[in-house]
Amino acid sequence: MNKRFYSFLFAVIGLMFSASAFAQDELIWDYTETAPSANPDNGLTYASKVNDATGTKNGLKGIKMNSSGYCYFTKNAVEGTLKLTFGPRDGSKESALDVFTYAETPGAETLVATTPLVTECQTVSIELTAEQNNIYIQRNTANEQVLCKIQFSPKVARTFKDFEINLVNLSAPFDTTTLPEGVVMEGSNRGDSHGYDNFKLTIPVDGPVKFTIGGCQYSKTQGTFVNSKGETIGSVDVTSGCYHNGAIVEYVYTGGKDVLTYNGAEYSPYFKAEAVEITPCVVTFKDQNGNVIGKVDANEGDALGEIPYSEKDLTYSKSEVFRGWVYASGVKAKATDLLTGNTTISALVTPFEYVTVGSVQNYKLTSNIFYPEDHETINIEGGYYHESQHGWAIANDGKVSVQVAGNAQVVLGLCVYSKNAPITCTDAAGNVVKTIESGYVETDGTTAVVNYEGEATTLTFTFAQGESYLHSVVVYNVKDFVKKDESTGYYIIPKGDGAALLLALNSANSEEGAKLFLQDGVYDLGETVGTAVSGKNLSIIGQSSKAIIKNAPSVKVEGLGSADLLYNTAEGLYMQNLTLQNALDYYAAGSAGRACAFHDKGNMTACYDVVLDSYQDTYYSHRDGAYFYWEKGAIMGTVDYMCGGGNVYYNGITIKNRSREASGSKGDCTINAPYTAAADKGYVYESCVIETESQTFNLGRSWADAKCAYLNTTIKSGKLADSRWTLKGMNSSAVSFKEYKTKDETGNTTCPSTYVATFTHSKGDLTYETILSDEEAKAYSYESFFADSNWDPKSLTAQVEAKVASASATQLTMAEEGTYLVECGSEYVALFVGTTFSNEFDAAKTYTVRKANARGGFGEPTAIDFTSTGIKSVDNADAPATVYDLNGRKLSTAKKGVNIVGGKKVYNK
């Protein structure tokens, strides 16, 4: 709606109040359906906005409340109620807002109120005095929030007086003289927990009133509300539970002045009446693709009621299943839910689920949007969702069943509050696979692991002797259980087996110096996010960039720290010949599609010939003071796709700007967004190549105090923006944006001799020369960059040549000891250690061999020539005085194998 109403009619069912007396005082900014389009917006000033599409995170629109988020406005000098509709942008994190008032300058001056914590988008009311007319709002909790609606309504005089009647265990009849004038009560006191028999109230009202009624399971009839015309206008079910056990029901009267009669059920233990404000709202129903099916007018405080649409109103494929109706948060809608404002409810349609070899099923039972009925691959009997700490409560003899595709590892996340009782795992035939000694653990979240070997089946976990809690269930469907190959020291992952990769990584994280080897193929992790990499000096080595680790998270979880593919906290991680691909659907994600392929909170990370494939926030360097090094390879994206802090040196990488839209070459790309601590050097690009699909691009923008330098860059394609950089900073002006000898693909210089730019931000502008002189550029050299780091990453990425001594149809002999990779064309053959490898070679095929460097990465291939080895062979040659071994030691007699004779390599049989 995006409107501020200076004339506002307060509509209610049955009566329309005139608002002319306070028409200049009523304020509303409603972004629940459409994000703001201007700033300031009709008197509301804000820092930044959010426009998340349905299904993206929590699907909220409005004002962004993050570390630098705020909004402020001025109201007239009248007393009234401020209503704020807000919620967490991501998941169900706790959110709260601070409301301040200020004298002249906007800012957090005097705290008026802190809202209650909410875990989904809700409306909270705050009372303001006439004097509190300059209002400033910012977040109170750490996570990012969205303020969707701001409404101020002046106080309207009401004659209705609230009252409460508690009739439980009264020794004498209730004192009716305490009731407001005109309220008449009838009935007889039972003197027990059931309250009154034949309870009846006559209640004069002057507008909307909320009634709260205590239930009694022994009542046999409904409670009813009747107006002065004798018409039944509402009924409440008070028979489903007892008030003293917490059972209450609510009814909101939304009409005008009248005299109502409440006819209680057989037993009535409690009754309360409160004057309320009623605000009109709209419930919008959408299909799974975000298309509007219809809208229903309602009022805030109404129960949602039965949804007027069904799966018959939807179109979807035979491979998909309709799961129900959900709010933007993913929580399923129920008829009894109370409306807190304009609400969007969407159909949930997802693919039918299967388990396959290499797949991982990750069931997060602590999530309030995990519903077993939405999955074909898991079933829970005798359990219910408890809350976000404990997960699901599983009753005595409750069962959790999961499908597996064959060999599988099942990991249960257990709870410190569970009963000390066993959990038994059985297959579909009833055979016991394993008994877990106890569901109780001393440390919350400790896991129990069950390895199953066999054919596809259903594994059932039965919980014995009392209620237990279950945080999570993760199923890894593997081709084979991968153990470290002791001969080579690598975990050799079966081709394309994502589940085996994750299991091997779990093991490698607990070691120092572990190495993983991935054959060419796609290791698809599905929607799995945040895969942990933590092993010290861990090496992850691919056969080539065609070894692809991939995930495709839902757009609902977009965001740094939410949709990440790999999340690294390791010291000394080394990666080579890999592609890390985050396939979140960027073009369907709305205003933000942040999907990090590599989130690096480690230190001394070195990557050689690694491709990072995503769109927004592709690479996140997230540790102040840390050093990171990239050589060769490519990083691709659209917005801020290299972002964060620390010291990052990009040496000879390819930078690929993608189109901002799915079709055509459109939009402007921003390559990076550094966030640089004062003591750090930021981002340096040396001899990199820029390729562009978008219409234009710029070199970067300041996330905060940014430092960045491009040296000897080649712009192979694309148009660089006239400003070269984004001059406006996000949280501060750029501290140091520099450029040196940028050229086109023919080698012609495109870098101006001088370019003085002004980088702007409300905290202060900075103006300086951005073009480096020859002398100034020396400060950004590799040697200068790492001078104080006690780290030489080039020594790690140095590639080693494989030297063949000889080859036959059955044996390959290398000239030097080492670890080698043998390939046939692009196909993996084997890894071996030493100098000899026995194998049945096919002479009609082409074989190559590659040698590992110090961190296990394999260099360029050397062709294996089965007809000429380049080393002379002799039969038991006598060694003259000039015979040496390969280590340069002088020999008296030639040894079997390769010797140096007369300065040449000779193979002695």
Side-chain angles (χ1 to χ4, degrees), residues 363-441:
Y363 309 106
K364 298 180 180 179
L365 276 60
T366 54
S367 171
N368 66 333
I369 60 172
F370 168 76
Y371 299 96
E373 65 268 23
D374 292 349
H375 302 273
E376 284 73 34
T377 52
I378 185 172
N379 185 56
I380 300 179
E381 298 178 24
Y384 64 94
Y385 176 71
H386 195 276
E387 38 70 65
S388 61
Q389 179 184 352
H390 296 82
W392 272 61
I394 310 297
N396 186 34
D397 289 331
K399 302 179 189 299
V400 177
S401 300
V402 292
Q403 294 179 19
V404 297
N407 295 343
Q409 182 176 102
V410 183
V411 181
L412 306 182
L414 303 180
C415 184
V416 69
Y417 296 102
S418 290
K419 298 294 183 182
N420 187 7
I423 304 170
T424 304
C425 175
T426 54
D427 62 17
N431 301 309
V432 175
V433 176
K434 183 177 180 178
T435 298
I436 300 169
E437 185 176 339
S438 176
Y440 164 79
V441 287

Side-chain angles (χ1 to χ4, degrees), residues 33 51 91 127 152 369 485 499 519 528 561 601 700 883:
E33 291 295 326
N51 189 24
E127 299 303 319
F152 175 75
I369 60 172
D485 178 28
Q519 302 174 45
T528 301
K601 291 194 76 171
V883 177

Side-chain angles (χ1 to χ4, degrees), residues 551-591:
N551 74 339
S554 165
V555 293
K556 293 181 181 179
V557 299
E558 74 84 31
L560 283 175
S562 302
D564 307 338
L565 171 58
L566 296 187
Y567 181 79
N568 176 49
T569 57
E571 188 89 6
L573 172 66
Y574 182 83
M575 295 193 294
Q576 180 173 326
N577 299 136
L578 287 170
T579 292
L580 305 181
Q581 180 185 17
N582 192 319
L584 179 142
D585 191 348
Y586 171 78
Y587 297 117
S591 61

